[in-house]
Short mmCIF file of all heavy atoms in Angstrom, two decimals:
data_model
loop_
_atom_site.label_atom_id
_atom_site.label_comp_id
_atom_site.label_asym_id
_atom_site.label_seq_id
_atom_site.Cartn_x
_atom_site.Cartn_y
_atom_site.Cartn_z
N VAL A 319 -23.39 83.04 14.38
CA VAL A 319 -24.06 83.11 13.05
C VAL A 319 -24.93 84.32 12.96
O VAL A 319 -24.91 85.02 11.97
CB VAL A 319 -24.91 81.82 12.83
CG1 VAL A 319 -25.71 81.95 11.56
CG2 VAL A 319 -24.02 80.58 12.79
N VAL A 320 -25.68 84.63 14.03
CA VAL A 320 -26.54 85.77 13.99
C VAL A 320 -25.81 87.08 13.92
O VAL A 320 -26.20 87.99 13.17
CB VAL A 320 -27.43 85.72 15.30
CG1 VAL A 320 -28.16 87.11 15.50
CG2 VAL A 320 -28.41 84.60 15.28
N SER A 321 -24.66 87.13 14.54
CA SER A 321 -23.93 88.46 14.54
C SER A 321 -23.35 88.75 13.18
O SER A 321 -23.11 89.93 12.80
CB SER A 321 -22.77 88.41 15.59
OG SER A 321 -21.85 87.40 15.21
N VAL A 322 -23.12 87.73 12.35
CA VAL A 322 -22.55 87.92 11.01
C VAL A 322 -23.67 88.06 9.98
O VAL A 322 -23.57 88.97 9.05
CB VAL A 322 -21.67 86.74 10.62
CG1 VAL A 322 -21.24 86.90 9.13
CG2 VAL A 322 -20.46 86.68 11.53
N LEU A 323 -24.77 87.27 10.04
CA LEU A 323 -25.76 87.26 8.95
C LEU A 323 -27.06 87.88 9.34
O LEU A 323 -27.80 88.29 8.38
CB LEU A 323 -26.12 85.72 8.61
CG LEU A 323 -24.87 84.96 8.08
CD1 LEU A 323 -25.33 83.52 7.88
CD2 LEU A 323 -24.42 85.46 6.74
N ASP A 324 -27.38 88.13 10.63
CA ASP A 324 -28.67 88.70 11.02
C ASP A 324 -29.83 88.12 10.23
O ASP A 324 -30.57 88.74 9.53
CB ASP A 324 -28.67 90.20 10.80
CG ASP A 324 -29.86 90.95 11.27
OD1 ASP A 324 -30.51 90.41 12.14
OD2 ASP A 324 -30.11 92.08 10.89
N PRO A 325 -30.04 86.75 10.38
CA PRO A 325 -31.05 86.12 9.55
C PRO A 325 -32.47 86.32 10.04
O PRO A 325 -33.44 85.99 9.29
CB PRO A 325 -30.66 84.62 9.71
CG PRO A 325 -30.07 84.51 11.04
CD PRO A 325 -29.32 85.81 11.19
N GLY A 326 -32.62 86.70 11.26
CA GLY A 326 -33.90 86.96 11.84
C GLY A 326 -34.63 85.69 12.32
O GLY A 326 -35.64 85.74 13.14
N CYS A 327 -34.14 84.48 11.91
CA CYS A 327 -34.79 83.27 12.27
C CYS A 327 -33.67 82.18 12.26
O CYS A 327 -32.96 82.10 11.28
CB CYS A 327 -35.87 82.93 11.42
SG CYS A 327 -36.75 81.34 11.77
N VAL A 328 -33.64 81.32 13.28
CA VAL A 328 -32.69 80.21 13.37
C VAL A 328 -33.55 78.96 13.61
O VAL A 328 -34.48 78.97 14.48
CB VAL A 328 -31.65 80.35 14.51
CG1 VAL A 328 -30.96 79.01 14.77
CG2 VAL A 328 -30.74 81.45 14.20
N LEU A 329 -33.31 77.93 12.83
CA LEU A 329 -34.06 76.63 12.96
C LEU A 329 -33.14 75.60 13.62
O LEU A 329 -31.97 75.51 13.19
CB LEU A 329 -34.46 76.09 11.63
CG LEU A 329 -35.97 76.30 11.25
CD1 LEU A 329 -36.34 77.74 11.17
CD2 LEU A 329 -36.24 75.65 9.94
N LEU A 330 -33.57 74.89 14.69
CA LEU A 330 -32.80 73.85 15.28
C LEU A 330 -33.40 72.59 14.70
O LEU A 330 -34.53 72.19 14.96
CB LEU A 330 -32.97 73.90 16.83
CG LEU A 330 -32.49 75.12 17.54
CD1 LEU A 330 -32.64 74.96 19.01
CD2 LEU A 330 -31.10 75.56 17.08
N ALA A 331 -32.54 71.91 13.86
CA ALA A 331 -33.04 70.81 13.05
C ALA A 331 -32.21 69.53 13.40
O ALA A 331 -31.34 69.56 14.22
CB ALA A 331 -33.12 71.07 11.56
N GLY A 332 -32.42 68.45 12.65
CA GLY A 332 -31.75 67.22 12.86
C GLY A 332 -32.42 66.48 14.01
O GLY A 332 -33.35 66.93 14.62
N ALA A 333 -31.89 65.36 14.34
CA ALA A 333 -32.54 64.44 15.30
C ALA A 333 -32.57 65.04 16.72
O ALA A 333 -33.56 64.99 17.41
CB ALA A 333 -31.84 63.13 15.30
N VAL A 334 -31.50 65.74 17.03
CA VAL A 334 -31.45 66.31 18.43
C VAL A 334 -32.36 67.54 18.42
O VAL A 334 -33.04 67.82 19.46
CB VAL A 334 -30.03 66.64 18.82
CG1 VAL A 334 -30.00 67.37 20.13
CG2 VAL A 334 -29.12 65.34 18.89
N GLY A 335 -32.28 68.36 17.42
CA GLY A 335 -33.13 69.50 17.35
C GLY A 335 -34.64 69.16 17.39
O GLY A 335 -35.41 69.80 18.09
N GLU A 336 -34.97 68.14 16.71
CA GLU A 336 -36.37 67.66 16.66
C GLU A 336 -36.77 67.11 18.14
O GLU A 336 -37.88 67.42 18.55
CB GLU A 336 -36.56 66.51 15.69
CG GLU A 336 -38.04 65.92 15.66
CD GLU A 336 -38.15 64.66 14.76
OE1 GLU A 336 -37.05 64.03 14.56
OE2 GLU A 336 -39.25 64.31 14.43
N ALA A 337 -35.84 66.42 18.74
CA ALA A 337 -36.13 65.93 20.08
C ALA A 337 -36.33 67.09 21.12
O ALA A 337 -37.25 67.00 21.94
CB ALA A 337 -35.01 65.04 20.60
N GLY A 338 -35.57 68.09 20.98
CA GLY A 338 -35.70 69.29 21.80
C GLY A 338 -36.94 70.06 21.61
O GLY A 338 -37.57 70.65 22.53
N GLY A 339 -37.41 70.10 20.34
CA GLY A 339 -38.62 70.78 19.95
C GLY A 339 -38.77 72.26 20.35
O GLY A 339 -37.67 72.91 20.60
N ALA A 340 -39.88 72.72 20.53
CA ALA A 340 -40.26 74.04 20.93
C ALA A 340 -39.62 74.42 22.30
O ALA A 340 -39.12 75.56 22.42
CB ALA A 340 -41.69 74.40 20.88
N PRO A 341 -39.59 73.56 23.31
CA PRO A 341 -39.01 73.93 24.54
C PRO A 341 -37.47 74.30 24.49
O PRO A 341 -37.14 75.27 25.13
CB PRO A 341 -39.25 72.71 25.41
CG PRO A 341 -40.48 72.06 24.84
CD PRO A 341 -40.28 72.27 23.38
N LEU A 342 -36.75 73.49 23.79
CA LEU A 342 -35.32 73.76 23.67
C LEU A 342 -35.16 75.09 22.77
O LEU A 342 -34.32 75.90 23.09
CB LEU A 342 -34.57 72.60 22.97
CG LEU A 342 -33.04 72.83 22.80
CD1 LEU A 342 -32.40 73.01 24.17
CD2 LEU A 342 -32.47 71.56 22.12
N ALA A 343 -35.93 75.26 21.73
CA ALA A 343 -35.82 76.39 20.86
C ALA A 343 -36.15 77.65 21.66
O ALA A 343 -35.43 78.65 21.52
CB ALA A 343 -36.73 76.29 19.69
N ALA A 344 -37.13 77.62 22.56
CA ALA A 344 -37.45 78.77 23.39
C ALA A 344 -36.27 79.13 24.28
O ALA A 344 -35.95 80.32 24.53
CB ALA A 344 -38.72 78.50 24.13
N ARG A 345 -35.60 78.15 24.84
CA ARG A 345 -34.52 78.46 25.70
C ARG A 345 -33.35 79.10 24.94
O ARG A 345 -32.71 80.05 25.48
CB ARG A 345 -34.06 77.11 26.35
CG ARG A 345 -34.81 76.57 27.52
CD ARG A 345 -34.30 75.26 28.02
NE ARG A 345 -34.78 74.92 29.33
CZ ARG A 345 -35.94 74.32 29.54
NH1 ARG A 345 -36.72 74.04 28.47
NH2 ARG A 345 -36.35 74.09 30.78
N VAL A 346 -33.08 78.59 23.79
CA VAL A 346 -31.97 79.18 23.03
C VAL A 346 -32.36 80.68 22.56
O VAL A 346 -31.56 81.56 22.65
CB VAL A 346 -31.71 78.33 21.75
CG1 VAL A 346 -30.71 79.02 20.87
CG2 VAL A 346 -31.25 76.91 22.14
N GLU A 347 -33.60 80.88 22.25
CA GLU A 347 -34.02 82.21 21.85
C GLU A 347 -33.88 83.18 23.01
O GLU A 347 -33.43 84.36 22.88
CB GLU A 347 -35.52 82.18 21.42
CG GLU A 347 -36.03 83.51 20.95
CD GLU A 347 -37.46 83.45 20.38
OE1 GLU A 347 -37.75 82.50 19.63
OE2 GLU A 347 -38.15 84.43 20.58
N GLU A 348 -34.28 82.74 24.24
CA GLU A 348 -34.08 83.65 25.36
C GLU A 348 -32.65 84.01 25.62
O GLU A 348 -32.29 85.18 25.89
CB GLU A 348 -34.54 82.93 26.64
CG GLU A 348 -36.05 82.70 26.72
CD GLU A 348 -36.50 81.83 27.90
OE1 GLU A 348 -35.55 81.41 28.63
OE2 GLU A 348 -37.72 81.49 28.06
N ARG A 349 -31.73 83.08 25.46
CA ARG A 349 -30.35 83.37 25.63
C ARG A 349 -29.79 84.28 24.50
O ARG A 349 -28.95 85.19 24.73
CB ARG A 349 -29.53 82.06 25.68
CG ARG A 349 -29.77 81.40 27.03
CD ARG A 349 -29.58 79.88 27.05
NE ARG A 349 -29.77 79.31 28.36
CZ ARG A 349 -30.93 79.14 28.89
NH1 ARG A 349 -32.03 79.47 28.23
NH2 ARG A 349 -31.05 78.60 30.05
N LEU A 350 -30.25 84.12 23.25
CA LEU A 350 -29.79 84.99 22.19
C LEU A 350 -30.27 86.44 22.39
O LEU A 350 -29.59 87.37 22.06
CB LEU A 350 -30.42 84.47 20.85
CG LEU A 350 -29.61 83.38 20.10
CD1 LEU A 350 -30.36 83.01 18.79
CD2 LEU A 350 -28.19 83.90 19.73
#
Side-chain angles (χ1 to χ4, degrees):
V319 173
V320 166
S321 66
V322 174
L323 296 176
D324 186 18
C327 181
V328 170
L329 260 61
L330 303 182
V334 176
E336 179 188 19
L342 181 60
R345 280 177 165 82
V346 176
E347 182 174 321
E348 289 173 1
R349 285 152 179 78
L350 274 181

